Amino acid sequence: MAVRSTTRPKRAAKSVPAKAARLAKKQSAALLVDEELDRYRSMRDFGVTAEPMGEAAVSRTAASRTASGATASGAIVSRARAVGAAEASRGLRFVIQKHAATRLHYDFRLEWNGVLKSWAVTKGPSFYPGDKRLAVRVEDHPLEYGGFEGIIPKGQYGGGAVMVWDRGTWLPHGDAEEGLESGHLTFELHGQKLKGSWALIRMRPRPQNKGKANWLLIKEHDPEEYAEGDTPITESAPESALTGRDMDEIAGDQDRVWNSKDDPAADPVATKPPRTAAAVRGAKAPAKEIQERAEEVREPSRVIQAPGSAPREAFPRFISPQLASQVKSPPAGAGWAHELKREAAMTLKQAEEDDLSALVDDPFVDAPLANDLPEMTDASARAAEKGTTRGSRQPSHLSFREGSTGNSPERYQVRLTHPDKQIDAASKLTKQQLADYYSAVADAMLPHIADRPLSIVRCPQGSTGPCFFQKHLVEGLPPGIDGVMIQSRKGGEPEEYITLSTGEALVGLAQLGVLEIHPWGSTNSDLERPDRMIFDLDPDPSLPWATLAGAALEVRERLKKLGLASFVKSTGGKGLHVVAPIEPHHEWPAAKAFAKSVAQAMAADNPQLYLMTMTKAARKGRIYVDYLRNERGATAIAPYSPRARAGVPVAIPLAWKEMEAAERPVFAVTDFPSWEARLKRDPWAQMLSTWQTLPH
């Protein structure tokens, strides 16, 4: 009888101290992982999160789960929000697990409502704000999994080594639940590696990504950010934040194993119920037994009939609800009945009292019915003013403020939530007033931003709170905001940038808390060739207004000698922009070279006043002539755009004669009634009809 030897070939012997050190390190790593798992287990709230909770957990009994009967979904959501708020107050955990599955990636996980909200980040996080890292939303994971470092066996979903690459706490900016639902979540990380402000932005789904939710993980601008050429954190700090091991050591030790097949909540595939003996028996049960089981759970007045020939099928994981859609007119036909909504009735009543001057241009509103409307009480009239009726939380229709003579925003059927929300403490500016402002300046502003790629600055917590730039098209944006596909300079897949062309879309930006709009210098139809040239004069704050105004006049004269007419605007800050419209004949490199030559000439002729260095230390007592607005992908603040700073000032087109003013012209959104008349004598009106080319 042959006996197979199980003796392994001998390897070169290691020294006893080396073996002991290796064993000690392995045991220490295992203990650290156990401690981290225990810490996550202690965080579990089983009133919110379903089982399983891991090896040490004791499952609840069926009786305890059903003692209070079925729980309404609304109560579950309310409780989940309450739990989330409580978690935020004690400090929410985050973990990033480096995962060598089919492909190496980083699992970004945020503790929220008793689970780990999870995204798979293909290239890992980047401290450079210019890197928009794809983050694919995956299933929620149990909290215990956040402390796991070890091996998932091959053959199971996600098989491979798992490292706790970073860990710490996170703090949402504003309502995290609302951010997750809207697809715009901003937050602060306090980790061993990742720190500072970050954003998760959900992208608009594409047909080829059906069923997947793609997000972008973006580092926001703050002191923690890296420059473009800095070594990525994933390269400078590749080891475990928990044990200090690398991926090879974790794979070799195999000291901890996560058996995902025993834990349906631990990975995306294991969502089917386990194949227990009872389940197998049920699959083979005759029709009579199926009927008896159905009767055990039937409602008192309803019996579930299961035909003997009915096939057994698993319930679908998700059924998309049928949603209402906006239409221009009500459906016709004998099968339809129509009624006048109470909200429309209140609108008509108000219109009747105002001699129909406030009548909304709505195809569903029929003015002659106003005389037949019931009388409104003072309380209901006040509710109508705020856009809500008693007991409702309906969003408010945009309403025009009394006393203004600008363009009526009733043209734009824009709906605002929380219209009275204050977005600037200094000026008391509200979301409603911001929408009114965008509506009033739409005709003057749109020619400079329509049909161009845009970057917008969103401030969910107001002008002085955390704000972030957004340029990519994502889900949840207001109607009218479209996308334009742009090929990155670095190659790869084209990206969809924000663009708009209507007043409705512009006013809708108020709903997003947009306080700045920055267009490209080229249009969607001719991205590679700019149609305007911008010289950004950024002075040291100590310089007087007269010096800055004189610099703008000098740029004007230099361009005039080169055959180019130019226009000037304030930036809403301390600087000025001199803008020369040009025909889109030259591509970006040529435009940039021309602008650079003008800036270089100014710095050479008067180095005591002008410089081309961006650093603020070198700018003391001088003006930085920024010509870099004239390159592909660069943007500049739009005319009439607000600025995201205290008081919400506005970037305003100026007449050249205003350079002779004794003081810097300053304008703000809340001061609009005092400068509204400028719209009728727009200093930039001739820009749109000025056609000129760069000199050869």
Side-chain angles (χ1 to χ4, degrees):
M1 179 178 178
V3 178
R4 184 177 59 186
S5 174
T6 58
T7 305
R8 296 181 179 179
K10 292 184 178 180
R11 293 182 293 181
K14 293 184 179 180
S15 66
V16 173
K19 287 184 177 179
R22 176 71 184 127
L23 179 61
K25 181 178 180 181
K26 181 175 179 179
Q27 291 174 339
S28 175
L31 289 173
L32 286 170
V33 173
D34 284 344
E35 290 175 3
E36 192 71 1
L37 286 169
D38 288 340
R39 186 176 295 113
Y40 272 88
R41 287 190 188 105
S42 68
M43 292 155 51
R44 291 290 297 273
D45 182 342
F46 296 100
V48 174
T49 312
E51 270 75 33
M53 70 172 179
E55 299 171 5
V58 178
S59 299
R60 295 177 298 174
T61 64
S64 66
R65 287 196 299 264
T66 58
S68 59
T71 305
S73 60
I76 293 174
V77 172
S78 298
R79 185 159 188 264
R81 287 184 180 273
V83 171
E87 290 172 337
S89 66
R90 65 159 170 78
L92 296 155
R93 286 183 175 269
F94 86 89
V95 62
I96 300 177
Q97 288 167 310
K98 191 174 179 180
H99 190 177
T102 305
R103 296 178 182 175
L104 181 67
H105 64 276
Y106 294 74
D107 292 316
F108 184 82
R109 311 191 194 279
L110 299 175
E111 175 196 355
W112 187 251
N113 285 344
V115 297
L116 292 172
K117 299 290 183 183
S118 301
W119 293 259
V121 183
T122 53
K123 295 183 179 180
S126 171
F127 270 105
Y128 172 52
D131 289 334
K132 277 64 175 178
R133 292 295 166 85
L134 177 65
V136 180
R137 181 76 167 91
V138 296
E139 286 77 2
D140 296 343
H141 280 51
L143 284 175
E144 179 185 354
Y145 187 71
F148 174 70
E149 180 173 289
I151 296 296
I152 298 176
K154 291 184 178 181
Q156 297 191 21
Y157 182 81
V162 177
M163 171 197 290
V164 177
W165 181 77
D166 194 18
R167 59 178 182 164
T169 59
W170 73 286
L171 181 67
H173 294 163
D175 188 339
E177 196 71 31
E178 182 178 335
L180 287 166
E181 291 174 1
S182 66
H184 307 282
L185 179 65
T186 58
F187 49 90
E188 187 135 347
L189 294 179
H190 301 277
Q192 292 176 228
K193 299 177 183 178
L194 298 192
K195 303 180 188 298
S197 294
W198 297 74
L200 275 165
I201 308 296
R202 187 169 60 226
M203 302 173 67
R204 176 174 292 184
R206 297 178 182 174
Q208 63 268 32
N209 293 331
K210 187 176 181 181
K212 297 181 180 180
N214 289 342
W215 297 58
L216 294 173
L217 177 63
I218 304 170
K219 180 70 185 74
E220 296 193 303
H221 292 286
D222 64 15
E224 302 290 346
E225 69 182 70
Y226 284 11
E228 184 172 7
D230 291 345
T231 303
I233 185 67
T234 51
E235 296 180 12
S236 62
E239 297 85 7
S240 168
L242 180 60
T243 64
R245 297 183 293 179
D246 60 26
M247 294 298 283
D248 290 339
E249 288 178 306
I250 294 171
D253 289 347
Q254 297 193 20
D255 51 0
R256 290 296 179 269
V257 177
W258 185 276
N259 191 351
S260 60
K261 288 184 177 179
D262 294 337
D263 189 347
D267 66 76
V269 168
T271 55
K272 298 180 180 179
R275 294 282 289 176
T276 62
V280 173
R281 287 196 303 272
K284 299 179 180 179
K288 181 178 179 181
E289 186 176 348
I290 295 175
Q291 173 69 27
E292 290 173 353
R293 293 177 187 174
E295 290 179 355
E296 292 177 2
V297 296
R298 71 181 186 273
E299 297 176 4
S301 59
R302 183 180 174 191
V303 177
I304 302 174
Q305 300 293 335
S309 60
R312 295 180 59 81
E313 296 182 0
F315 281 103
R317 294 180 62 186
F318 179 73
I319 299 176
S320 298
Q322 184 176 3
L323 302 177
S325 57
Q326 188 175 8
V327 295
K328 293 292 185 182
S329 61
W336 293 92
H338 306 100
E339 66 175 1
L340 188 65
K341 293 288 288 181
R342 178 66 175 169
E343 290 87 345
M346 289 187 289
T347 301
L348 287 169
K349 183 63 177 178
Q350 184 66 44
E352 180 187 31
E353 293 173 357
D354 294 344
D355 296 327
L356 301 181
S357 61
L359 185 61
V360 177
D361 182 17
D362 192 327
F364 295 157
V365 174
D366 190 0
L369 292 176
N371 294 330
D372 299 327
L373 296 177
E375 289 292 323
M376 289 199 301
T377 64
D378 291 341
S380 62
R382 286 194 298 271
E385 277 186 83
K386 294 183 178 180
T388 61
T389 56
R390 184 179 299 176
S392 78
R393 293 294 299 168
Q394 293 293 329
S396 171
H397 269 295
L398 182 64
S399 60
F400 197 57
R401 291 294 177 256
E402 203 173 320
S404 178
T405 59
N407 299 308
S408 172
E410 279 83 1
R411 298 179 302 169
Y412 310 122
Q413 294 299 294
V414 177
R415 295 175 70 84
L416 299 178
T417 57
H418 310 294
D420 296 329
K421 177 182 178 181
Q422 190 177 99
I423 56 178
D424 179 61
S427 64
K428 312 299 184 186
L429 180 71
T430 66
K431 185 190 285 189
Q432 177 70 67
Q433 291 171 326
L434 178 63
D436 291 343
Y437 171 76
Y438 279 141
S439 176
V441 300
D443 287 348
M445 190 176 185
L446 280 171
H448 304 287
I449 65 172
D451 299 316
R452 296 174 184 269
L454 301 177
S455 292
I456 56 178
V457 176
R458 299 179 58 180
C459 303
Q461 297 184 50
S463 60
T464 58
C467 300
F468 63 94
F469 266 93
Q470 180 180 340
K471 62 182 181 181
H472 290 98
L473 192 68
V474 296
E475 282 186 325
L477 298 182
I481 298 180
D482 298 318
V484 55
M485 300 302 295
I486 298 179
Q487 181 70 49
S488 171
R489 288 175 295 182
K490 299 180 181 179
E493 292 294 323
E495 299 177 339
E496 198 166 16
Y497 281 53
I498 290 173
T499 189
L500 58 80
S501 59
T502 66
E504 177 189 29
L506 174 60
V507 176
L509 295 180
Q511 170 64 15
L512 302 177
V514 173
L515 287 180
E516 292 188 11
I517 303 171
H518 298 251
W520 275 38
S522 61
T523 62
N524 296 342
S525 60
D526 201 353
L527 290 169
E528 304 306 326
R529 292 181 290 192
D531 64 354
R532 57 190 58 191
M533 183 165 294
I534 300 172
F535 295 87
D536 181 1
L537 302 178
D538 193 357
D540 174 42
S542 65
L543 287 176
W545 159 250
T547 302
L548 177 63
L553 290 169
E554 181 177 340
V555 175
R556 182 194 189 194
E557 288 303 313
R558 287 178 178 269
L559 293 176
K560 188 175 181 180
K561 290 179 180 179
L562 294 170
L564 296 176
S566 58
F567 301 79
V568 65
K569 77 169 184 286
S570 71
T571 63
K574 60 183 183 296
L576 290 173
H577 285 178
V578 178
V579 183
I582 57 175
E583 292 193 54
H585 294 330
H586 302 276
E587 294 192 351
W588 283 107
K592 179 181 177 181
F594 178 84
K596 182 178 181 180
S597 67
V598 175
Q600 283 178 327
M602 294 179 67
D605 292 347
N606 192 352
Q608 288 75 33
L609 182 58
Y610 303 122
L611 78 164
M612 298 172 62
T613 304
M614 189 180 300
T615 57
K616 292 187 177 180
R619 203 179 307 176
K620 187 172 180 61
R622 294 191 286 179
I623 297 173
Y624 169 46
V625 184
D626 183 2
Y627 66 91
L628 297 176
R629 305 285 178 179
N630 304 287
E631 62 181 351
R632 189 182 190 273
T635 62
I637 192 69
Y640 302 106
S641 172
R643 299 307 303 266
R645 54 195 65 172
V648 193
V650 176
I652 290 289
L654 300 172
W656 281 111
K657 64 180 180 180
E658 290 180 278
M659 297 298 99
E660 302 171 4
E663 297 181 355
R664 180 195 312 270
V666 177
F667 305 88
V669 171
T670 50
D671 297 334
F672 177 65
S674 67
W675 58 267
E676 184 177 6
R678 294 180 66 93
L679 298 178
K680 297 180 180 179
R681 54 177 191 277
D682 184 359
W684 280 28
Q686 294 182 359
M687 176 186 283
L688 303 175
S689 58
T690 299
W691 301 99
Q692 50 194 6
T693 59
L694 293 180
H696 297 290

